[in-house]
Amino acid sequence: MKKIVSALLSMFILITFTACLSSQDNKTKNSFIKNESNLDVVSIQQIKLENKPNILFTVTADASLKHIYSTVDEFNKSDAVDTIVKGTITNIEYVYVSGLAYSILTINVLQSYKGNCAKTIKVYEDGGYVKVKDKLDELKKHIDVEKLTQEQIDNGVIDIKFFNAPHAKKGQQVILYLTKNIAPLPTDSYRIVSSLYGKFTLDKSDEMYKRIALDTKDDTITNNKESENSSKIDLVTNFEKEISESDMEYKLTNLK
């Protein structure tokens, strides 16, 4: 648990957590899916369209990842990657599962470079939106929840961002490095390998595929002893944040 910054209830409150991802991509192996909250997906989507008036808190979370890849070439060679696709995000749903927030991306697959997949797939991305009432017990540890109005409790929203990354948006074209989910998650769905670091989003303004920046100040990422990288220095020095669309296409169509 890191620093907690409090503000007036009428303002956003930033709470920084250290979280462990429960997935095939790290040490916790999917033991978390037992209860799913009654998150109202439609209301969350409406809030986003209405300039997010009900977002009371923003939470940034990070995780100690088992696999960290500096370059596209490392991703392409990894046995942890079952499927590599290029696709367009056509829909996004938000769920809250046993203390973890997810964005479920519906991907219209334009091309598959590795593995066999359907034309439309569901991909679980870390981070999303959660109703305040679903995390009320957790909030009690950090703020005086009695100062919240019933309206804020019932309709307020928490924005949970992994590695402080922006959430995915409908219409984005992405390259995704994926692994198949196992039960109790839907076995026809996928997770992104290395969390948000395994998603490259096309910036059409300069024809570059880009991913989130490596947080060099975060020891849970750069000092992970199970990383396939030889050292923190190598990871930081070689980290490939962006790659041209043409270079990405060349590397993916020439996989060995």
Side-chain angles (χ1 to χ4, degrees):
M1 198 72 64
K2 298 182 180 178
K3 61 184 179 180
I4 302 170
V5 181
S6 299
L8 297 176
L9 291 176
S10 60
M11 300 174 64
F12 290 173
I13 298 177
L14 175 63
I15 306 172
T16 304
F17 293 93
T18 298
C20 289
L21 294 178
S22 301
S23 71
Q24 296 141 269
D25 194 30
N26 61 51
K27 301 174 184 176
T28 308
K29 304 288 182 182
N30 282 318
S31 60
F32 60 94
I33 305 296
K34 294 181 181 178
N35 298 300
E36 186 167 321
S37 71
N38 295 319
L39 182 62
D40 187 341
V41 174
V42 175
S43 69
I44 296 299
Q45 291 173 337
Q46 290 173 342
I47 287 171
K48 293 179 69 178
L49 293 175
E50 296 169 3
N51 200 28
K52 306 178 183 177
N54 289 337
I55 293 182
L56 301 181
F57 310 100
T58 296
V59 175
T60 59
D62 53 34
S64 180
L65 302 175
K66 182 176 180 181
H67 299 287
I68 306 174
Y69 303 92
S70 292
T71 66
V72 166
D73 289 336
E74 287 183 8
F75 265 118
N76 291 344
K77 296 175 182 178
S78 176
D79 292 335
V81 177
D82 301 326
T83 304
I84 307 172
V85 300
K86 174 172 67 177
T88 303
I89 301 172
T90 59
N91 191 50
I92 305 174
E93 301 171 274
Y94 303 102
V95 294
Y96 182 55
V97 183
S98 287
L100 296 174
Y102 295 95
S103 300
I104 305 178
L105 313 181
T106 300
I107 304 294
N108 176 33
V109 177
L110 302 175
Q111 188 168 351
S112 177
Y113 302 97
K114 179 180 180 180
N116 298 316
C117 65
K119 292 293 184 181
T120 301
I121 61 175
K122 299 280 189 179
V123 176
Y124 281 69
E125 179 177 85
D126 298 304
Y129 298 94
V130 178
K131 284 192 172 181
V132 167
K133 63 183 180 182
D134 289 333
K135 285 191 74 70
L136 203 56
D137 289 341
E138 180 67 23
L139 287 173
K140 289 178 181 177
K141 301 175 185 178
H142 307 289
I143 67 170
D144 184 359
V145 297
E146 292 184 0
K147 292 183 179 180
L148 294 174
T149 66
Q150 194 59 47
E151 171 71 15
Q152 288 173 319
I153 292 174
D154 291 340
N155 299 311
V157 174
I158 303 171
D159 181 358
I160 300 180
K161 295 182 177 181
F162 262 73
F163 306 115
N164 203 31
H167 298 303
K169 297 179 180 179
K170 289 171 62 175
Q172 289 179 327
Q173 181 174 308
V174 291
I175 299 292
L176 298 172
Y177 290 87
L178 304 171
T179 185
K180 261 293 186 65
N181 278 320
I182 60 175
L185 284 173
T187 56
D188 59 349
S189 66
Y190 296 82
R191 284 188 59 86
I192 303 172
V193 174
S194 196
S195 188
L196 296 171
Y197 293 108
K199 181 184 74 174
F200 290 78
T201 303
L202 180 63
D203 184 340
K204 295 182 180 179
S205 67
D206 57 7
E207 299 182 336
M208 299 287 289
Y209 276 104
K210 301 176 180 179
R211 60 173 170 168
I212 64 171
L214 186 69
D215 186 356
T216 57
K217 297 179 181 179
D218 190 346
D219 289 342
T220 63
I221 294 177
T222 54
N223 284 342
N224 191 326
K225 294 181 180 179
E226 293 190 29
S227 171
E228 294 182 358
N229 304 92
S230 58
S231 70
K232 176 177 178 177
I233 294 176
D234 288 342
L235 176 61
V236 174
T237 302
N238 299 326
F239 189 78
E240 190 171 44
K241 184 183 175 183
E242 59 184 47
I243 179 173
S244 70
E245 184 178 13
S246 58
D247 285 348
M248 176 71 88
E249 190 69 28
Y250 176 80
K251 289 176 180 290
L252 290 175
T253 54
N254 290 278
L255 291 176
K256 294 181 180 179

